[in-house]
Amino acid sequence: MACSGRSQNEDSSRRLAEMMGPGGQFCSAPRLSSSSASVYLRWQISHRSRLSSRMPALSDPRPSNRAERPRREIEVRKLSGRPPVRSTKRSGRPPARTTPSRYGGSPVPAQNTHGERLQRTLARAGLGSRRAVEDLIRQGRVRVGGEVASLGRRVDPWTDHITVDDIPIPVHPDLRYLALNKPAGVTTTARDPHAERTVAMLIPPGPRVFPVGRLDRPSEGLLLRTNDGDLAHRLQHPRFGVDREYLVEVKGIVPKRAVSQLLKGVDLADGPARALKARPTGRSRGRTSLAMVMREGRKREIRRMLGALGFPVLRLVRVRIGPVRLGSLPPGRTRTLTAQEVSELYRESRLSRARPGGRGTDSDSPSHS
Protein backbone atom coordinates (compact mmCIF):
# COMPACT_ATOMS: atom_id res chain seq x y z
CA MET A 1 0.00 0.00 0.00
CA ALA A 2 1.50 3.40 -1.02
CA CYS A 3 2.58 5.81 1.72
CA SER A 4 0.58 9.06 2.24
CA GLY A 5 1.89 12.19 0.46
CA ARG A 6 3.36 10.25 -2.43
CA SER A 7 1.89 9.83 -5.86
CA GLN A 8 1.30 6.53 -7.56
CA ASN A 9 4.24 7.12 -9.92
CA GLU A 10 6.66 7.68 -7.06
CA ASP A 11 5.50 4.48 -5.44
CA SER A 12 6.04 2.55 -8.68
CA SER A 13 9.57 3.94 -9.02
CA ARG A 14 10.41 2.85 -5.47
CA ARG A 15 9.18 -0.71 -6.08
CA LEU A 16 11.10 -0.89 -9.36
CA ALA A 17 14.32 0.18 -7.58
CA GLU A 18 13.80 -2.57 -5.04
CA MET A 19 13.67 -5.19 -7.81
CA MET A 20 16.91 -3.96 -9.47
CA GLY A 21 20.39 -4.54 -8.19
CA PRO A 22 23.14 -1.98 -7.60
CA GLY A 23 24.36 -2.21 -11.24
CA GLY A 24 20.98 -1.49 -12.72
CA GLN A 25 20.39 -5.20 -13.38
CA PHE A 26 17.46 -7.25 -12.21
CA CYS A 27 18.12 -9.56 -9.33
CA SER A 28 16.96 -13.15 -9.32
CA ALA A 29 13.18 -13.31 -9.65
CA PRO A 30 11.66 -11.58 -6.61
CA ARG A 31 8.28 -12.27 -5.14
CA LEU A 32 5.98 -9.64 -6.63
CA SER A 33 2.44 -8.62 -5.85
CA SER A 34 -0.04 -8.21 -8.65
CA SER A 35 0.44 -4.42 -8.76
CA SER A 36 4.27 -4.76 -8.78
CA ALA A 37 4.13 -7.33 -11.57
CA SER A 38 2.12 -4.97 -13.74
CA VAL A 39 4.66 -2.18 -13.21
CA TYR A 40 7.54 -4.56 -14.05
CA LEU A 41 5.79 -5.69 -17.21
CA ARG A 42 5.20 -2.09 -18.39
CA TRP A 43 8.87 -1.26 -17.77
CA GLN A 44 10.04 -4.26 -19.83
CA ILE A 45 7.85 -3.29 -22.79
CA SER A 46 9.07 0.31 -22.77
CA HIS A 47 12.75 -0.78 -22.39
CA ARG A 48 12.58 -3.21 -25.37
CA SER A 49 10.85 -0.62 -27.54
CA ARG A 50 13.70 1.85 -26.89
CA LEU A 51 16.32 -0.84 -27.70
CA SER A 52 14.59 -1.93 -30.92
CA SER A 53 14.42 1.66 -32.15
CA ARG A 54 18.25 1.78 -32.15
CA MET A 55 18.70 -1.66 -33.83
CA PRO A 56 18.43 -2.32 -37.58
CA ALA A 57 15.91 -4.97 -38.48
CA LEU A 58 17.48 -8.45 -38.48
CA SER A 59 15.22 -9.49 -41.33
CA ASP A 60 16.58 -6.77 -43.67
CA PRO A 61 18.07 -8.09 -46.91
CA ARG A 62 21.83 -8.38 -47.01
CA PRO A 63 23.66 -5.35 -48.41
CA SER A 64 24.70 -5.58 -52.01
CA ASN A 65 28.24 -4.52 -51.16
CA ARG A 66 30.09 -7.56 -49.82
CA ALA A 67 32.74 -5.40 -48.15
CA GLU A 68 30.10 -3.76 -45.84
CA ARG A 69 28.57 -7.06 -44.74
CA PRO A 70 31.02 -7.88 -41.88
CA ARG A 71 30.59 -4.44 -40.28
CA ARG A 72 26.79 -4.61 -40.42
CA GLU A 73 26.67 -8.10 -38.97
CA ILE A 74 29.06 -7.20 -36.13
CA GLU A 75 26.96 -4.17 -35.19
CA VAL A 76 23.77 -6.22 -35.15
CA ARG A 77 25.35 -8.86 -32.94
CA LYS A 78 26.70 -6.27 -30.49
CA LEU A 79 23.32 -4.59 -30.07
CA SER A 80 21.44 -7.85 -29.72
CA GLY A 81 23.91 -9.28 -27.21
CA ARG A 82 24.82 -12.29 -29.38
CA PRO A 83 28.50 -13.41 -29.40
CA PRO A 84 30.52 -12.70 -32.56
CA VAL A 85 31.00 -15.51 -35.08
CA ARG A 86 34.46 -17.04 -34.97
CA SER A 87 36.25 -18.03 -38.15
CA THR A 88 36.41 -21.77 -38.78
CA LYS A 89 39.38 -21.51 -41.15
CA ARG A 90 42.49 -23.16 -39.79
CA SER A 91 45.68 -21.16 -39.91
CA GLY A 92 48.24 -22.32 -42.44
CA ARG A 93 45.79 -24.38 -44.50
CA PRO A 94 44.23 -22.79 -47.60
CA PRO A 95 40.48 -23.30 -48.07
CA ALA A 96 39.56 -25.87 -50.74
CA ARG A 97 37.18 -23.81 -52.89
CA THR A 98 37.25 -21.91 -56.14
CA THR A 99 34.48 -19.35 -55.45
CA PRO A 100 35.35 -15.83 -54.23
CA SER A 101 35.82 -15.30 -50.52
CA ARG A 102 32.63 -14.67 -48.55
CA TYR A 103 33.65 -11.16 -47.60
CA GLY A 104 35.32 -10.11 -50.84
CA GLY A 105 38.90 -10.38 -52.05
CA SER A 106 40.56 -12.38 -54.78
CA PRO A 107 39.33 -15.89 -55.68
CA VAL A 108 40.88 -18.79 -53.79
CA PRO A 109 42.79 -21.27 -55.99
CA ALA A 110 41.36 -24.77 -56.25
CA GLN A 111 42.97 -27.52 -54.20
CA ASN A 112 42.83 -31.17 -55.32
CA THR A 113 41.63 -33.10 -52.30
CA HIS A 114 41.63 -36.50 -54.04
CA GLY A 115 44.43 -39.00 -54.53
CA GLU A 116 47.67 -39.00 -52.56
CA ARG A 117 50.63 -36.69 -52.40
CA LEU A 118 53.12 -37.02 -55.23
CA GLN A 119 56.14 -37.53 -52.97
CA ARG A 120 54.40 -40.40 -51.19
CA THR A 121 53.49 -42.05 -54.49
CA LEU A 122 57.06 -41.86 -55.81
CA ALA A 123 58.54 -43.05 -52.52
CA ARG A 124 56.20 -46.05 -52.56
CA ALA A 125 57.29 -46.78 -56.14
CA GLY A 126 60.87 -47.14 -54.87
CA LEU A 127 62.50 -43.92 -56.07
CA GLY A 128 63.94 -43.23 -52.64
CA SER A 129 62.98 -41.68 -49.34
CA ARG A 130 60.41 -38.91 -49.02
CA ARG A 131 63.15 -36.32 -48.66
CA ALA A 132 65.02 -37.57 -51.75
CA VAL A 133 61.81 -37.51 -53.77
CA GLU A 134 61.00 -34.00 -52.57
CA ASP A 135 64.41 -32.88 -53.87
CA LEU A 136 63.56 -34.32 -57.29
CA ILE A 137 60.29 -32.39 -57.31
CA ARG A 138 61.97 -29.12 -56.26
CA GLN A 139 64.51 -29.52 -59.07
CA GLY A 140 61.70 -29.70 -61.61
CA ARG A 141 62.60 -33.22 -62.77
CA VAL A 142 59.14 -34.71 -62.09
CA ARG A 143 56.23 -34.27 -64.48
CA VAL A 144 52.59 -35.27 -64.10
CA GLY A 145 50.65 -35.45 -67.36
CA GLY A 146 53.43 -33.54 -69.12
CA GLU A 147 53.41 -30.63 -66.63
CA VAL A 148 56.19 -29.87 -64.17
CA ALA A 149 54.95 -30.95 -60.74
CA SER A 150 55.14 -28.86 -57.60
CA LEU A 151 55.72 -30.03 -54.06
CA GLY A 152 52.51 -31.16 -52.36
CA ARG A 153 50.62 -31.96 -55.55
CA ARG A 154 48.13 -34.79 -55.32
CA VAL A 155 47.98 -37.51 -57.96
CA ASP A 156 45.92 -40.56 -58.79
CA PRO A 157 48.29 -43.56 -59.07
CA TRP A 158 45.68 -45.47 -61.10
CA THR A 159 45.39 -42.93 -63.93
CA ASP A 160 48.09 -40.23 -63.81
CA HIS A 161 51.13 -40.43 -66.08
CA ILE A 162 54.24 -39.60 -64.03
CA THR A 163 57.78 -39.23 -65.40
CA VAL A 164 61.16 -38.47 -63.85
CA ASP A 165 63.73 -37.07 -66.28
CA ASP A 166 61.23 -37.94 -69.06
CA ILE A 167 61.33 -41.64 -68.07
CA PRO A 168 57.92 -43.14 -67.14
CA ILE A 169 57.54 -44.29 -63.55
CA PRO A 170 55.04 -47.15 -63.03
CA VAL A 171 53.11 -46.19 -59.89
CA HIS A 172 49.96 -48.26 -60.36
CA PRO A 173 49.46 -50.13 -57.06
CA ASP A 174 48.54 -53.41 -58.78
CA LEU A 175 51.70 -53.67 -60.92
CA ARG A 176 54.30 -56.32 -60.05
CA TYR A 177 57.80 -56.77 -61.47
CA LEU A 178 59.72 -59.85 -60.33
CA ALA A 179 63.10 -61.37 -61.17
CA LEU A 180 63.47 -65.13 -60.73
CA ASN A 181 66.56 -67.31 -60.87
CA LYS A 182 65.11 -70.38 -62.57
CA PRO A 183 66.92 -73.60 -61.65
CA ALA A 184 67.58 -76.34 -64.18
CA GLY A 185 64.79 -78.92 -64.44
CA VAL A 186 62.00 -76.42 -63.74
CA THR A 187 59.37 -75.82 -66.42
CA THR A 188 58.54 -72.24 -67.32
CA THR A 189 54.93 -72.81 -68.31
CA ALA A 190 52.39 -73.09 -65.52
CA ARG A 191 50.14 -75.56 -67.39
CA ASP A 192 52.25 -78.62 -68.00
CA PRO A 193 50.62 -81.77 -66.57
CA HIS A 194 53.84 -83.74 -67.10
CA ALA A 195 56.13 -81.29 -65.27
CA GLU A 196 57.16 -82.13 -61.73
CA ARG A 197 58.16 -78.54 -60.93
CA THR A 198 57.04 -75.29 -62.50
CA VAL A 199 58.01 -71.67 -61.90
CA ALA A 200 54.53 -71.06 -60.49
CA MET A 201 55.68 -72.92 -57.38
CA LEU A 202 58.50 -70.39 -56.90
CA ILE A 203 56.44 -67.19 -57.17
CA PRO A 204 55.38 -65.51 -53.90
CA PRO A 205 51.64 -64.98 -53.35
CA GLY A 206 50.04 -61.86 -54.79
CA PRO A 207 48.50 -60.63 -58.06
CA ARG A 208 49.03 -63.04 -60.92
CA VAL A 209 52.17 -62.48 -63.01
CA PHE A 210 53.25 -64.13 -66.24
CA PRO A 211 56.73 -64.79 -67.68
CA VAL A 212 58.58 -62.41 -69.97
CA GLY A 213 60.13 -64.83 -72.45
CA ARG A 214 60.97 -68.45 -71.82
CA LEU A 215 63.77 -70.73 -70.76
CA ASP A 216 63.57 -74.40 -71.67
CA ARG A 217 63.71 -76.99 -68.93
CA PRO A 218 67.50 -77.67 -68.95
CA SER A 219 68.34 -73.94 -69.09
CA GLU A 220 68.64 -71.76 -66.01
CA GLY A 221 69.07 -68.16 -65.00
CA LEU A 222 67.16 -64.89 -65.11
CA LEU A 223 63.45 -64.94 -65.84
CA LEU A 224 61.26 -61.85 -65.51
CA ARG A 225 57.62 -62.08 -64.49
CA THR A 226 55.12 -59.24 -64.46
CA ASN A 227 51.47 -58.36 -64.96
CA ASP A 228 52.41 -55.35 -67.09
CA GLY A 229 51.34 -56.87 -70.40
CA ASP A 230 52.51 -54.05 -72.66
CA LEU A 231 56.01 -54.11 -71.20
CA ALA A 232 56.17 -57.92 -71.43
CA HIS A 233 55.21 -57.78 -75.10
CA ARG A 234 57.85 -55.20 -75.97
CA LEU A 235 60.60 -56.98 -74.07
CA GLN A 236 60.03 -60.11 -76.15
CA HIS A 237 59.62 -58.47 -79.56
CA PRO A 238 62.95 -58.07 -81.42
CA ARG A 239 61.74 -54.83 -83.01
CA PHE A 240 62.22 -53.00 -79.71
CA GLY A 241 65.82 -54.14 -79.37
CA VAL A 242 66.05 -55.39 -75.76
CA ASP A 243 69.20 -57.52 -75.47
CA ARG A 244 69.64 -60.77 -73.56
CA GLU A 245 72.99 -62.03 -72.37
CA TYR A 246 73.87 -65.69 -71.80
CA LEU A 247 76.79 -67.68 -70.45
CA VAL A 248 77.15 -70.94 -72.38
CA GLU A 249 79.37 -73.95 -71.78
CA VAL A 250 79.88 -76.26 -74.77
CA LYS A 251 81.71 -79.48 -75.39
CA GLY A 252 84.91 -79.04 -77.42
CA ILE A 253 87.30 -76.20 -78.12
CA VAL A 254 85.58 -73.46 -80.12
CA PRO A 255 87.99 -71.86 -82.64
CA LYS A 256 87.89 -68.19 -83.68
CA ARG A 257 86.30 -68.98 -87.04
CA ALA A 258 83.33 -70.58 -85.24
CA VAL A 259 82.92 -67.44 -83.11
CA SER A 260 82.98 -65.33 -86.28
CA GLN A 261 80.34 -67.59 -87.78
CA LEU A 262 78.07 -66.98 -84.80
CA LEU A 263 78.34 -63.24 -85.46
CA LYS A 264 77.76 -63.55 -89.21
CA GLY A 265 74.82 -65.93 -88.90
CA VAL A 266 74.04 -69.63 -88.80
CA ASP A 267 71.45 -71.20 -91.08
CA LEU A 268 68.66 -72.91 -89.15
CA ALA A 269 65.48 -74.66 -90.26
CA ASP A 270 63.40 -71.53 -89.55
CA GLY A 271 65.89 -69.10 -91.08
CA PRO A 272 69.34 -67.69 -90.31
CA ALA A 273 70.14 -66.67 -86.73
CA ARG A 274 73.05 -64.64 -85.46
CA ALA A 275 74.44 -63.32 -82.21
CA LEU A 276 74.96 -59.61 -81.57
CA LYS A 277 78.06 -60.42 -79.53
CA ALA A 278 79.99 -63.60 -78.96
CA ARG A 279 83.36 -64.14 -77.29
CA PRO A 280 85.08 -67.03 -75.51
CA THR A 281 85.57 -66.56 -71.76
CA GLY A 282 87.58 -69.70 -70.98
CA ARG A 283 88.75 -73.12 -72.15
CA SER A 284 89.54 -76.12 -69.95
CA ARG A 285 89.28 -79.94 -70.06
CA GLY A 286 87.91 -80.03 -73.55
CA ARG A 287 85.20 -77.45 -72.83
CA THR A 288 84.71 -73.83 -73.88
CA SER A 289 82.80 -71.10 -72.12
CA LEU A 290 81.16 -68.39 -74.24
CA ALA A 291 79.39 -65.10 -73.52
CA MET A 292 76.67 -64.43 -76.10
CA VAL A 293 74.25 -61.52 -76.52
CA MET A 294 71.06 -62.22 -78.47
CA ARG A 295 68.14 -60.07 -79.53
CA GLU A 296 65.70 -62.62 -80.94
CA GLY A 297 64.06 -65.23 -78.76
CA ARG A 298 63.33 -68.16 -81.02
CA LYS A 299 62.80 -71.59 -79.56
CA ARG A 300 66.10 -73.16 -78.38
CA GLU A 301 67.93 -70.72 -80.64
CA ILE A 302 71.37 -70.80 -78.99
CA ARG A 303 71.38 -74.57 -78.61
CA ARG A 304 70.54 -75.04 -82.30
CA MET A 305 73.15 -72.50 -83.46
CA LEU A 306 76.01 -74.11 -81.55
CA GLY A 307 74.79 -77.62 -82.38
CA ALA A 308 74.85 -76.73 -86.09
CA LEU A 309 78.53 -75.77 -85.71
CA GLY A 310 79.33 -79.05 -83.93
CA PHE A 311 79.47 -77.84 -80.33
CA PRO A 312 76.69 -79.31 -78.16
CA VAL A 313 75.61 -77.16 -75.23
CA LEU A 314 76.33 -78.56 -71.78
CA ARG A 315 75.02 -75.66 -69.71
CA LEU A 316 73.17 -72.42 -70.52
CA VAL A 317 72.53 -69.59 -68.05
CA ARG A 318 70.80 -66.31 -68.83
CA VAL A 319 72.45 -63.53 -66.81
CA ARG A 320 70.86 -60.34 -68.16
CA ILE A 321 67.69 -58.96 -69.77
CA GLY A 322 68.20 -55.36 -70.80
CA PRO A 323 69.31 -53.44 -67.69
CA VAL A 324 68.26 -56.21 -65.27
CA ARG A 325 71.05 -58.55 -64.18
CA LEU A 326 70.88 -61.88 -62.39
CA GLY A 327 73.59 -60.89 -59.92
CA SER A 328 73.88 -63.02 -56.79
CA LEU A 329 70.23 -64.11 -56.67
CA PRO A 330 70.21 -67.74 -55.47
CA PRO A 331 68.55 -70.43 -57.64
CA GLY A 332 64.84 -70.75 -56.99
CA ARG A 333 64.57 -67.33 -55.35
CA THR A 334 62.76 -64.19 -56.52
CA ARG A 335 63.18 -60.48 -55.89
CA THR A 336 61.27 -57.33 -56.77
CA LEU A 337 62.80 -55.13 -59.42
CA THR A 338 63.97 -51.71 -58.30
CA ALA A 339 62.33 -48.54 -59.60
CA GLN A 340 65.48 -47.74 -61.57
CA GLU A 341 65.44 -51.16 -63.26
CA VAL A 342 61.79 -50.80 -64.24
CA SER A 343 62.38 -47.28 -65.54
CA GLU A 344 65.30 -48.50 -67.64
CA LEU A 345 63.15 -51.29 -69.07
CA TYR A 346 60.58 -48.67 -70.09
CA ARG A 347 63.25 -46.51 -71.64
CA GLU A 348 64.77 -49.36 -73.66
CA SER A 349 61.39 -50.66 -74.80
CA ARG A 350 60.18 -47.10 -75.62
CA LEU A 351 57.02 -47.53 -73.58
CA SER A 352 55.33 -44.43 -72.19
CA ARG A 353 52.68 -45.71 -69.76
CA ALA A 354 52.34 -48.53 -67.26
CA ARG A 355 49.12 -50.42 -66.67
CA PRO A 356 48.19 -53.90 -65.46
CA GLY A 357 47.01 -56.41 -68.05
CA GLY A 358 47.57 -55.22 -71.60
CA ARG A 359 48.71 -57.47 -74.38
CA GLY A 360 50.71 -59.84 -72.25
CA THR A 361 52.01 -63.23 -73.36
CA ASP A 362 50.51 -66.64 -73.79
CA SER A 363 51.57 -69.07 -71.11
CA ASP A 364 51.81 -71.81 -73.74
CA SER A 365 54.23 -69.99 -76.06
CA PRO A 366 57.40 -71.90 -76.96
CA SER A 367 60.47 -71.93 -74.75
CA HIS A 368 63.49 -69.90 -75.76
CA SER A 369 67.21 -70.54 -75.75
Side-chain angles (χ1 to χ4, degrees), residues 231-250:
L231 179 62
H233 168 73
R234 294 199 175 206
L235 291 178
Q236 295 179 91
H237 203 292
R239 179 166 62 92
F240 299 102
V242 180
D243 300 339
R244 299 166 180 79
E245 185 176 353
Y246 301 84
L247 293 180
V248 189
E249 186 181 34
V250 299

Side-chain angles (χ1 to χ4, degrees), residues 1-66:
M1 182 174 183
C3 296
S4 61
R6 292 186 180 181
S7 64
Q8 186 176 1
N9 291 337
E10 291 176 346
D11 186 56
S12 301
S13 300
R14 182 180 60 79
R15 293 181 180 180
L16 181 62
E18 291 176 356
M19 290 185 293
M20 297 179 63
Q25 303 293 330
F26 279 101
C27 301
S28 57
R31 297 177 63 86
L32 301 176
S33 62
S34 59
S35 60
S36 299
S38 62
V39 172
Y40 170 53
L41 180 60
R42 286 198 301 272
W43 182 90
Q44 268 196 332
I45 295 174
S46 62
H47 175 72
R48 291 194 178 185
S49 62
R50 289 196 303 270
L51 179 61
S52 61
S53 64
R54 301 200 309 267
M55 289 177 53
L58 297 181
S59 60
D60 289 345
R62 293 192 175 188
S64 58
N65 188 357
R66 288 181 178 269

Side-chain angles (χ1 to χ4, degrees), residues 75-113:
E75 290 176 356
V76 171
R77 287 185 174 272
K78 283 184 177 179
L79 293 174
S80 61
R82 291 182 293 173
V85 178
R86 294 185 178 182
S87 174
T88 58
K89 183 174 65 176
R90 299 181 182 178
S91 58
R93 178 177 297 180
R97 58 188 180 194
T98 57
T99 57
S101 177
R102 181 180 179 184
Y103 300 131
S106 58
V108 180
Q111 300 289 329
N112 182 12
T113 58

